[in-house]
Amino acid sequence: MKDEAFYRWITFLKKIRFGWLAPFFLLLKGEDPKTQCKAIFSGVMMPIFSILLFLWIWDLASKEIVTKFGTVPGPRQVWSAWKSLGNETRLERIKALEHQHRAREKRIVSAKKYKEVLNNFPGEMPTGLLSPGTEDALSTSSDAFQQANELLEVYNKISITLSKEEAQSVAALFQYETSRQYAEKVIQQALPLEIRHRERVEALRMAPEWNPSPDDPDKVVESKSALKKSESKKLAREKAILLIERQRYATEATKAAYALITSLPKSVRTLLAQSDKSASKLYPELKAWHENLLAEEAATGVKYAGKVKLKMLVKAFEYKPYPGKDTYFAQIATSLKTVFFGFCIASLIAIPIGIICGLSPNMNNAINPLIQIFKPVSPLAWLPIVMILVGALYVSDDPMFELSFLNSAITVALCSLWPTLVNTSLGVSSTDKDIMNVAKVLKLGWYKKVTKVIIPSAMPLIFTGLRLSLGVGWMVLIAAEMLAQNPGLGKFVWDMFQNGSSETLSMIMVAVFTIGIIGFMLDTIMLSLQELVSFD
Amino acid sequence: MNPFCILSQLTKSYPTPKGDAVIVKDFNLKIKKGEFVTLIGHSGCGKSTVLSMLAGLNPITSGGIILAGKELSGPGPDRGVVFQSPSLLPWLSALDNVLLGVNQAFYTASRLERKQIAEYYLAIVGLANAMHKKPAELSQGMCQRVGIARAFALSPRMLLLDEPFGMLDALTRFELQEILLRLWSKNQITALMVTHDVDEALFLSDRIVMMTNGPEAEVGDILPVHFERPRDRAGILAHPDYYDMREYLITYLSDRSHIKGQYKASVENQGFDFAALKDQDEKCNPLVMEGKHIAERRNRPVLEDTTKLN
Amino acid sequence: MKPLISLEGVSKSFGSGQQKTNVLSNIQLEIKEGEFVAIVGYSGSGKTTLISILAGLIHPDKGVAMYREHPIREPDPGRALVFQNYSLLPWLSVWDNLALAVNQVFPHWSTSKREEHINHYLDMVRLTPAKRKRPSELSGGMRQRVALARALAIDPEVLLLDEPLGALDALTRGNLQEEIARIWSENKKTVVLITNDVDEGILLADRVIPLTRGPEATLGQPIHINLPRPRNRKELNHDASFKDFRKRIIESLMHEGRQPSTTTVRRTFVLPNILPEDLNAPGTFRFGRRSPVRHEEFKQEPLEIEI
């Protein structure tokens, strides 16, 4: 039985395009090594070989083409750009941690400092003077009082747990000290390279060939331009190497800093996270408490002595998220969210309509022209309409979704609707005639016929449609994001194109590979789902 | 005794721009209760059309069918159909495929009893170990066994078999014929089978109805098969009349199937005594009654208006 | 006389490890020149594997397949193969389909000789009127004739027919069987016919060999069909030896190779004594929950189940 499951798993792998893994499993299982090695050669070695060949040709070709941004990035530059994106993300994480740490410190300090407010509240205020409403409010806020005290305990505990040195070293880390040291090292190491590069540029400028001689200006200009061309190519290559070097050092620096930060004991980290969480929960209650008090003061004219301290305390507990910029990975996440949302909208519309179309030839004939007309429309044409319509219809003070997000999601939905719709209707209408006869003979009712016979038999085609839809959606998304300025991969590409730094091309290449790999993964996931619902 | 199933003046035609294309014309046949009748003829002669009209899957152009004293209209699980392709729902296991029909016909019974019915018939066709397999995991012969179990599990009044073994190879066919016969002999449901396999027809049926070639196909000849039941293949192959009957059928199919209106004339000109065979046929096949209750339950108001059909 | 083709102790299995299935085991076969041999067996019993070994498309794991006393290593125009699914090139006309094969095998012939050759074989299968048609315009029987003509046109020494008539209806099959018998009597090639139709085997072959049920299928006792030729289907019906051959082949197929099951268990299946509802009756209240109607009979059947 166990073997059967194993071979089912192998067949499944093959179906979802991971068949190249199968020979390894089969080897482990002890099957004929010769056959498996052959399979590994053709399934693993050949693709690797072709990828290497591609990289080699790319590398050679890239060195020869110079654009206004420098040489066309080769695989090495693109890899370095990918690393710099990772590095950027790491830096953002460090900064966010630093931000959290500062907030935490502030809370610990103010909690200690204004402890008496919590302990004595509302001691200084004669109860008789308060209106019944306020007394109620204060009695309910005694919960908050309780919690604030508990929290204070937690913070005290933390400061005890972390001994003075430890706290200091952590603080030092959060101060970004280590990474700064590394950054200095980077500059030191990359400096000679850069200096040499400058010297070369200077030497070239001073070279006699660069200055026209009065005897034969034409000849000199000719040789100059030829020289300039070859020299500029050389310089561009040097610069590319320099950039890669610099990137390597920078990555090393942040990696080390990040490693130090994340080396905090896990118990401490969870404790810190818990306290942060309860502090953020506490904030609205403290705030309400403070506002009540202000209102009471205004109504009764009785001044509360600890007012300022309370205000400071409230302020200390205010939770402000780190206002960092979107990292590359955050943008990928946004893109995925957008495409998934758009895909869900598309499926929710397309599957029911497809089923209706498939069931009734009349409906199919009615809807078919619309499908045929709208199907070939490009996302670029939909987007302005969507933007205007969504802008007009989706007006809310506290919008659940960003406008740009909705725009691109709806554009994705509009473009990825059709494959699902067409395939669903085809799947439903092409239910095997014999099977329909069976349903007739058994006198299945309409509902039973649709749910037990028609939809299950259409399932494989529905999923084929969904897979195509998701593919189309992912393609459309990039264009939509570029135009809608919705944070995401499309916008990333656009921004990179706009800012025109020396890394522009490599960054865009990174985006291209990311888009391709994610598209492949989405397709594989859908393919697996499709395999799960197919019957053979 | 009244025939259990009467096909009267049955005609099927499709309108075409050049006038109606008549597939079957004035097809008359009476089937006794518990009788196994086979329609034999060349492909395209309209034998499947007759069967699908009886199943209610194909509307009748003119004429009518009376089953158990009531005129038929539309399909229903009172006629179990075994199709040429097994037509199983590929996403359901063998058991669920049978249960789909059982749930429908026995919707008042408890879940347990319905499952018992499905399991019983699957076990009898030899699939007790494969009940939970999906059709894709079963061989074609096994799929057709499920198809047979599904038809029998409905406890139908009549069983309709549309070239049930046509897609199987000759040897798997033998096995399934035996299974069909074993199952059929348990409760002798009135059956009508369509086939073009002469041996199959001889092995299974009580009467073989030969059809003329289409268009305008009609009954060409009828051959009663008097082999005693229970039958076994070796015994039938060894029967002295077997090869005579086989030759009679083959001769009909190759030489006479294009001649219309021959049925009455042909009876006298046989190599062996058909009148005697017919008498014997009547004696050998006493109509087996289904349970008294079934008869009571099913004999709902008899259709009076038989004049219309004549 | 030395046999033209011989198989000695041939075994073949597919898959490896746990999934390994032994399709054929210990096949012994000798075919003389000019002989018509029919191998009859169940579908899935390894008939196609056997003929592929004869054609040289696959190689046996054990034993040797010899052709003219040389081991069979690869396909060879001397042994033409006709498949059940015709395998004609759909974009070529009947004539071009034949021409493709003929040009390949006889490149040194003159164009007119080749044309004459093709026409001869088209005529032999009576397809001259249809020679400019594409396969899609032909019926199944006609397509199989084209495939047959193509196989014959390359003038093979051995004709391997893999269920050539399996996909045809009974009438066409009968006609083509007669055609094959006629063509064989005209040029007396060595023919190996794979079929699942016992009558077809008896009608055409000199020797019918049953292939037992797979896995581990092996050849049963050959039956020499010494009926005079030409054989007539209808007349054969009266022939006592025909009946005898038929009975022997069917019996050997039905009973040989049926492996005794390892264990049998008796299980009892219960058929509840309930009657079906009449869903065609007018006014049946589908949602009304009532109990089913029962009869007195209550079936309990013990069945033996193999595990």
Side-chain angles (χ1 to χ4, degrees), chain B residues 129 169 175 186 246-247, chain C residues 43 199 213 238 301 306:
Chain B
N129 280 330
D169 72 70
E175 284 179 1
K186 276 184 195 295
R246 191 167 184 270
E247 194 205 340
Chain C
S43 66
D199 288 355
R213 205 186 292 237
H238 298 291
E301 195 149 350
E306 297 171 4

Side-chain angles (χ1 to χ4, degrees), chain A residues 454-510:
Chain A
I454 293 175
I455 292 181
S457 87
M459 257 330 183
L461 266 177
I462 293 178
F463 269 81
T464 310
L466 287 177
R467 186 159 77 88
L468 293 175
S469 278
L470 192 59
V472 169
W474 185 243
M475 291 246 263
V476 162
L477 175 81
I478 306 304
E481 279 178 345
M482 257 189 198
L483 282 174
Q485 290 293 299
N486 178 38
L489 282 168
K491 185 165 180 274
F492 174 82
V493 171
W494 186 248
D495 288 350
M496 283 299 141
F497 179 64
Q498 291 293 312
N499 78 8
S501 79
S502 53
E503 281 198 313
T504 291
L505 273 175
S506 346
M507 288 295 186
I508 295 178
M509 293 279 236
V510 170

Side-chain angles (χ1 to χ4, degrees), chain A residues 4 8 431-432 434-438 440-445 448 452-458 533 535-536, chain B residues 55 57 73 75-81 83 85 87-92 100-101 103-104 134 136 150 154:
Chain A
E4 216 170 90
R8 260 211 303 276
T431 307
D432 189 34
D434 288 336
I435 287 180
M436 288 307 285
N437 276 342
V438 171
K440 270 191 207 161
V441 166
L442 297 178
K443 276 216 159 220
L444 294 180
K448 249 190 174 176
K452 293 227 162 156
V453 177
I454 293 175
I455 292 181
S457 87
V533 298
F535 324 123
D536 35 45
Chain B
L57 295 171
S73 63
D78 58 339
R79 278 147 289 151
V81 185
F83 299 93
S85 70
S87 319
L88 303 180
L89 309 189
W91 55 92
L92 294 180
L100 187 75
N103 286 343
Q104 200 61 12
K134 297 262 169 77
R150 178 172 62 185
L154 299 172

Side-chain angles (χ1 to χ4, degrees), chain C residues 225-232 236 239:
Chain C
I225 312 290
N226 48 11
L227 297 167
R229 287 176 194 267
R231 296 169 188 167
N232 180 303
L236 279 184
D239 197 309

Side-chain angles (χ1 to χ4, degrees), chain A residues 156-176:
Chain A
N156 276 328
K157 222 174 170 177
I158 294 168
S159 51
I160 292 162
T161 318
L162 302 171
S163 70
K164 203 181 169 193
E165 285 84 0
E166 270 174 327
Q168 261 176 359
S169 75
V170 171
L173 280 176
F174 289 134
Q175 290 301 324
Y176 198 27

Side-chain angles (χ1 to χ4, degrees), chain B residues 42-43 70 72-79 103-110 112-114 116-117 119-121 123-124 128-129 131 154-157 168-175 178 186-187 196 199 233-234 237-238 240 242-244 246-247 250-251 253-255 293-294 297-298 300, chain C residues 40-44 47 163 169-171 173 195-199 213 233-238 242-244 246-247 250-251 253-254 258 267 269-282 284-297 299-301 303 305-307:
Chain B
H42 287 306
S43 48
K70 277 204 313 165
L72 282 182
S73 63
D78 58 339
R79 278 147 289 151
N103 286 343
Q104 200 61 12
F106 296 92
Y107 67 95
T108 49
S110 70
L112 175 72
E113 279 181 324
R114 287 184 300 206
Q116 279 177 337
I117 294 174
E119 283 180 344
Y120 174 83
Y121 283 102
I124 286 190
N129 280 330
M131 281 185 193
L154 299 172
S155 301
R157 282 175 183 152
L168 306 174
D169 72 70
L171 300 162
T172 316
R173 222 179 268 188
F174 287 165
E175 284 179 1
E178 275 168 22
K186 276 184 195 295
N187 37 20
H196 57 241
D199 295 301
R233 194 173 298 276
L237 285 178
Y242 180 80
Y243 281 94
D244 286 338
R246 191 167 184 270
E247 194 205 340
I250 291 176
T251 318
L253 288 175
S254 59
D255 298 348
H293 295 265
I294 303 180
R297 194 174 160 69
R298 282 187 174 156
R300 293 227 168 107
Chain C
V40 185
Y42 282 91
S43 66
K47 288 179 292 183
E163 298 201 36
D169 68 278
L171 193 64
R173 195 186 295 195
T195 181
N196 60 45
D197 184 344
V198 177
D199 288 355
R213 205 186 292 237
R233 186 190 312 274
K234 261 176 266 164
E235 282 163 17
L236 279 184
N237 245 326
H238 298 291
F242 169 74
K243 293 179 199 174
D244 181 49
R246 201 162 180 273
K247 202 175 136 205
I250 291 174
E251 272 175 8
L253 280 169
M254 299 284 282
R258 197 174 265 185
R267 250 175 81 189
F269 288 89
V270 182
L271 182 66
N273 58 341
I274 46 178
L275 290 173
E277 300 296 325
D278 189 351
L279 294 175
N280 279 17
T284 314
F285 186 49
R286 277 294 264 114
F287 300 101
R289 192 75 202 171
R290 42 201 171 75
S291 49
V293 179
R294 292 176 188 274
H295 52 80
E296 294 123 20
E297 203 184 343
K299 276 190 197 162
Q300 249 190 338
E301 195 149 350
L303 285 174
I305 295 163
E306 297 171 4
I307 290 179

